[in-house]
């Protein structure tokens, strides 16, 4: 049986971080958050799943339930959290609040856990789990049902004033209802809302709807939608087993885009 324990996710995350560090093409400075969701189907005849979620940093995952309620599946990892501050200081780092009100490690990094950021993981006398910044995930498990929608989003979606967990959950629910369940329309409007409400960070989001059974004829579509709503089909690869509808969105220097898988 697969091991979905917290220790298993921790081992996998540290192994990935070590692999990134050993790659000569990856610089030491940059880093990334990460959020992982694994669906387990104990009984294929029952439209229920066990969702195992692991996050590193401040990307977020919530489950939007059919009754309109939602469940948080991630926890932001910030330097000013007492447990994080304690580890940072033990590793020789400092946690200071900037003039803009942002807590940073050594005046630089606003996260206490990440992939990469290897200059913050340079103590040779410390274990990977004892460095100023670590790749140790927060893990949570939840039983979910067919019809639930998973909302993945980076911190840029939540950065704009008013874009709280509840606002994002309610907004996605409203957009799905008004669009007849169209994932593409909902995720595009979510990213547009974050952008128009003042988020100055990179903005990306992905919606996944859980289905009761695999598609009879698996297919995949991918499209780009610009800020004016113009949709362009683009080539997409067919997954080996398509059991969910997947969509994503992002913003770059050329404008606002959304994509549907």
């Amino acid at each position: 049986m697969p091991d979905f324990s917290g220790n298993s996710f921790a081992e996998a995350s540290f192994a990935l971080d070590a692999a990134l560090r050993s790659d000569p093409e990856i610089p030491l400075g940059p880093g990334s958050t990460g959020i992982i969701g694994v669906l387990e189907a104990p009984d294929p005849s029952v439209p229920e799943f066990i969702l195992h979620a692991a996050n590193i940093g401040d990307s977020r995952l919530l489950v939007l339930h059919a009754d309109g309620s939602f469940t948080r599946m991630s926890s932001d990892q910030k330097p000013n959290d007492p447990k994080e501050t304690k580890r940072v200081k033990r590793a020789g780092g400092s946690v200071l609040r900037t003039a803009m009100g942002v807590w940073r490690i050594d005046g630089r990094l606003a996260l206490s856990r990440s992939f990469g950021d290897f200059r913050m993981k340079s103590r040779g006398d410390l274990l990977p789990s004892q460095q100023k910044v670590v790749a140790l995930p927060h893990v949570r498990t939840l039983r979910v049902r067919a019809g639930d929608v998973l909302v993945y989003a980076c911190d840029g979606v939540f950065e704009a004033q008013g874009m709280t967990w509840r606002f994002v959950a309610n907004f996605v629910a409203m957009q799905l209802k008004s669009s007849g369940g169209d994932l593409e329309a909902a995720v595009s409007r979510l990213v547009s809302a974050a952008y128009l409400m003042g988020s100055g960070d990179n903005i990306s989001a992905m919606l996944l709807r859980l289905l009761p059974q695999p598609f009879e004829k698996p297919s995949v579509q991918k499209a780009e939608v610009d800020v004016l709503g113009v949709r362009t089909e683009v080539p997409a690869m067919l997954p080996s087993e398509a059991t969910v509808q997947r969509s994503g969105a992002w913003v770059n220097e050329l404008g606002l885009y959304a994509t549907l898988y």
Side-chain angles (χ1 to χ4, degrees):
M1 292 290 292
D3 179 8
F4 296 114
S5 67
N7 287 338
S8 178
F9 277 108
E11 290 175 6
S13 296
F14 281 125
L16 173 57
D17 207 40
L20 293 172
R21 188 166 197 159
S22 65
D23 190 331
E25 296 185 2
I26 296 179
L28 295 177
S32 175
T33 64
I35 188 156
I36 303 164
V38 178
L39 282 172
E40 182 182 7
D43 184 350
S45 66
V46 178
E48 291 186 350
F49 309 89
I50 298 175
L51 171 63
H52 305 275
N55 81 285
I56 294 174
D58 57 3
S59 291
R60 294 181 176 182
L61 168 61
L62 67 84
V63 179
L64 182 60
H65 303 289
D67 63 0
S69 63
F70 72 94
T71 303
R72 300 184 187 188
M73 293 300 295
S74 60
S75 176
D76 295 348
Q77 295 149 352
K78 299 292 189 178
N80 58 312
D81 179 282
K83 292 182 179 179
E84 303 294 295
T85 300
K86 186 176 182 180
R87 187 195 67 248
V88 172
K89 290 184 175 181
R90 279 183 173 178
S94 63
V95 177
L96 302 173
R97 190 175 186 179
T98 68
M100 299 295 292
V102 179
W103 292 93
R104 295 185 181 274
I105 297 176
D106 295 348
R108 297 167 56 192
L109 191 63
L111 296 172
S112 55
R113 304 190 191 189
S114 70
F115 291 113
D117 291 310
F118 295 118
R119 290 195 177 96
M120 297 285 188
K121 305 171 181 177
S122 59
R123 288 278 300 270
D125 59 326
L126 297 178
L127 296 173
S129 60
Q130 298 172 328
Q131 302 290 336
K132 288 185 283 188
V133 176
V134 299
L136 179 65
H138 167 270
V139 180
R140 186 171 184 184
T141 298
L142 179 72
R143 187 172 292 275
V144 293
R145 296 184 57 84
D148 288 345
V149 174
L150 311 187
V151 182
Y152 290 82
C154 72
D155 63 313
V157 171
F158 294 87
E159 182 185 86
Q161 186 173 1
M163 295 288 281
T164 62
W165 285 90
R166 182 170 297 280
F167 180 92
V168 169
N170 290 344
F171 184 88
V172 172
M174 290 175 58
Q175 299 309 317
L176 288 173
K177 183 177 180 180
S178 65
S179 66
D182 189 329
L183 294 176
E184 180 179 0
V187 75
S188 179
R189 293 169 188 171
L190 173 62
V191 173
S192 295
Y195 181 73
L196 295 173
M197 290 175 69
S199 177
D201 204 345
N202 59 301
I203 304 172
S204 59
M206 181 169 66
L207 305 184
L208 296 91
R209 178 184 293 119
L210 305 183
L211 301 180
Q213 58 187 10
F215 297 124
E216 293 182 2
K217 295 181 179 180
S219 63
V220 63
Q221 291 178 304
K222 183 176 180 181
E224 292 182 355
V225 184
D226 66 20
V227 71
L228 298 178
V230 178
R231 188 177 192 276
T232 304
E233 296 286 344
V234 295
M237 295 181 63
L238 178 67
S240 57
E241 294 185 5
T243 57
V244 295
Q245 292 180 8
R246 300 181 292 178
S247 69
W250 67 92
V251 67
N252 63 18
E253 68 276 10
L254 299 178
L256 190 62
Y257 295 89
T259 181
L260 172 68
Y261 296 90

XYZ file of all heavy atoms in Angstrom, residues 5 8 17 28 35 55-57 80 89 104 106 112 131 143 146 151 153 156 191 198-200 217 227 229 243 256:
195
model
N 1.724 9.118 4.697
C 1.931 9.749 5.995
C 2.722 11.043 5.841
O 3.337 11.308 4.802
C 2.690 8.802 6.926
O 4.015 8.605 6.451
N 6.295 10.430 4.989
C 6.523 10.095 3.587
C 6.620 11.360 2.735
O 7.513 11.493 1.887
C 5.391 9.202 3.074
O 5.573 8.894 1.707
N 14.317 18.483 -2.901
C 15.162 19.651 -2.650
C 16.635 19.307 -2.869
O 17.396 20.096 -3.447
C 14.933 20.146 -1.221
C 15.204 21.636 -1.062
O 14.836 22.405 -1.975
O 15.773 22.029 -0.034
N 21.737 28.896 -6.951
C 21.533 28.733 -5.517
C 20.531 29.722 -4.942
O 19.928 29.469 -3.907
C 22.875 28.892 -4.784
C 23.945 27.839 -5.073
C 25.228 28.189 -4.330
C 23.462 26.456 -4.670
N 2.832 23.021 -3.629
C 1.646 22.431 -3.010
C 1.267 21.181 -3.794
O 1.210 21.195 -5.024
C 0.486 23.437 -2.930
C -0.666 22.861 -2.120
C 0.028 23.900 -4.298
C -1.568 23.902 -1.515
N 1.862 21.179 1.664
C 2.299 22.465 1.123
C 3.581 22.942 1.783
O 3.848 22.675 2.956
C 1.211 23.528 1.253
C 1.130 24.161 2.624
O 0.637 23.539 3.560
N 1.613 25.394 2.753
N 4.387 23.614 0.975
C 5.630 24.229 1.430
C 5.588 25.681 0.997
O 5.516 25.980 -0.196
C 6.856 23.519 0.826
C 6.943 22.082 1.361
C 8.138 24.279 1.123
C 8.033 21.264 0.718
N 5.590 26.608 1.961
C 5.509 28.030 1.637
C 4.106 28.567 1.826
O 3.402 28.181 2.756
N 7.549 34.799 11.050
C 7.140 35.286 12.369
C 6.312 34.284 13.161
O 5.927 34.559 14.299
C 6.369 36.601 12.238
C 5.133 36.479 11.365
O 5.204 35.924 10.271
N 4.015 37.001 11.824
N 16.434 31.251 14.230
C 17.444 31.821 15.127
C 18.455 30.771 15.572
O 19.647 31.070 15.719
C 16.758 32.468 16.327
C 15.988 33.737 15.958
C 15.403 34.419 17.182
C 14.738 35.739 16.808
N 14.168 36.434 17.991
N 10.725 39.106 7.416
C 11.666 38.462 6.506
C 12.824 37.832 7.278
O 13.231 38.341 8.324
C 12.217 39.462 5.486
C 11.158 40.023 4.536
C 11.782 40.916 3.470
N 10.778 41.480 2.583
C 10.298 40.870 1.503
N 10.761 39.665 1.179
N 9.383 41.443 0.752
N 16.606 37.274 7.663
C 17.815 38.024 7.302
C 17.493 39.215 6.409
O 18.303 39.614 5.561
C 18.831 37.110 6.604
C 19.361 36.022 7.528
O 19.129 36.107 8.748
O 19.999 35.078 7.024
N 9.422 30.892 5.383
C 10.341 30.118 6.219
C 10.513 28.689 5.716
O 11.310 27.929 6.265
C 9.843 30.097 7.665
O 8.515 29.616 7.728
N 17.829 23.876 9.058
C 18.333 25.081 8.414
C 17.392 26.267 8.653
O 16.263 26.104 9.119
C 18.485 24.839 6.913
C 19.407 23.694 6.545
C 20.873 23.997 6.830
O 21.300 25.149 6.892
N 21.672 22.940 7.002
N -11.430 13.558 3.708
C -12.278 12.741 2.833
C -13.126 13.676 1.971
O -13.811 14.561 2.493
C -13.174 11.815 3.655
C -13.960 10.815 2.805
C -14.665 9.797 3.681
N -13.719 8.913 4.339
C -13.217 7.806 3.789
N -13.573 7.464 2.555
N -12.379 7.050 4.462
N -17.162 13.103 -4.975
C -17.375 13.541 -6.348
C -18.251 14.789 -6.336
O -19.228 14.865 -5.595
C -18.040 12.431 -7.157
N -9.378 23.977 -5.241
C -8.912 25.288 -5.690
C -7.459 25.457 -5.250
O -7.175 25.610 -4.063
C -9.774 26.428 -5.112
C -9.284 27.781 -5.636
C -11.247 26.219 -5.459
N -4.051 27.789 -5.551
C -3.714 29.168 -5.910
C -2.420 29.588 -5.232
O -2.147 29.199 -4.092
C -4.837 30.120 -5.513
N -0.310 35.177 -4.792
C -0.739 36.369 -5.512
C -2.245 36.493 -5.620
O -2.783 37.603 -5.683
N -8.694 34.799 -11.415
C -7.414 35.464 -11.635
C -7.627 36.923 -12.025
O -6.897 37.815 -11.583
C -6.606 34.706 -12.707
C -5.346 35.460 -13.070
C -6.250 33.316 -12.201
N -5.966 44.575 -7.256
C -4.711 45.186 -6.851
C -3.558 44.276 -6.521
O -2.528 44.746 -6.022
N -3.658 42.982 -6.789
C -2.525 42.104 -6.504
C -1.350 42.482 -7.397
O -1.481 42.585 -8.611
C -2.896 40.641 -6.745
O -1.772 39.810 -6.535
N -0.186 42.671 -6.779
C 1.005 43.027 -7.540
C 1.971 41.876 -7.687
O 3.079 42.041 -8.202
N -14.177 8.089 -22.677
C -13.214 8.400 -23.724
C -12.379 9.588 -23.252
O -12.768 10.737 -23.462
C -13.922 8.731 -25.041
C -14.696 7.564 -25.633
C -15.344 7.963 -26.953
C -16.102 6.789 -27.555
N -16.742 7.163 -28.850
N -7.162 38.884 -21.547
C -7.944 39.712 -20.639
C -9.235 40.211 -21.271
O -10.185 40.573 -20.586
C -7.088 40.897 -20.137
C -6.861 41.899 -21.255
C -7.718 41.557 -18.917
N -11.082 38.268 -23.101
C -11.958 37.118 -23.238
C -11.808 36.370 -24.544
O -12.603 35.479 -24.853
N -9.209 11.415 -14.959
C -10.290 11.189 -14.006
C -10.782 12.488 -13.382
O -11.672 12.480 -12.560
C -9.832 10.250 -12.878
O -8.686 10.808 -12.244
C -9.493 8.880 -13.426
N -3.180 39.044 -19.115
C -3.826 38.045 -18.273
C -4.257 36.854 -19.119
O -4.867 37.021 -20.167
C -5.045 38.671 -17.595
C -5.729 37.877 -16.505
C -4.778 37.633 -15.348
C -6.950 38.631 -16.014
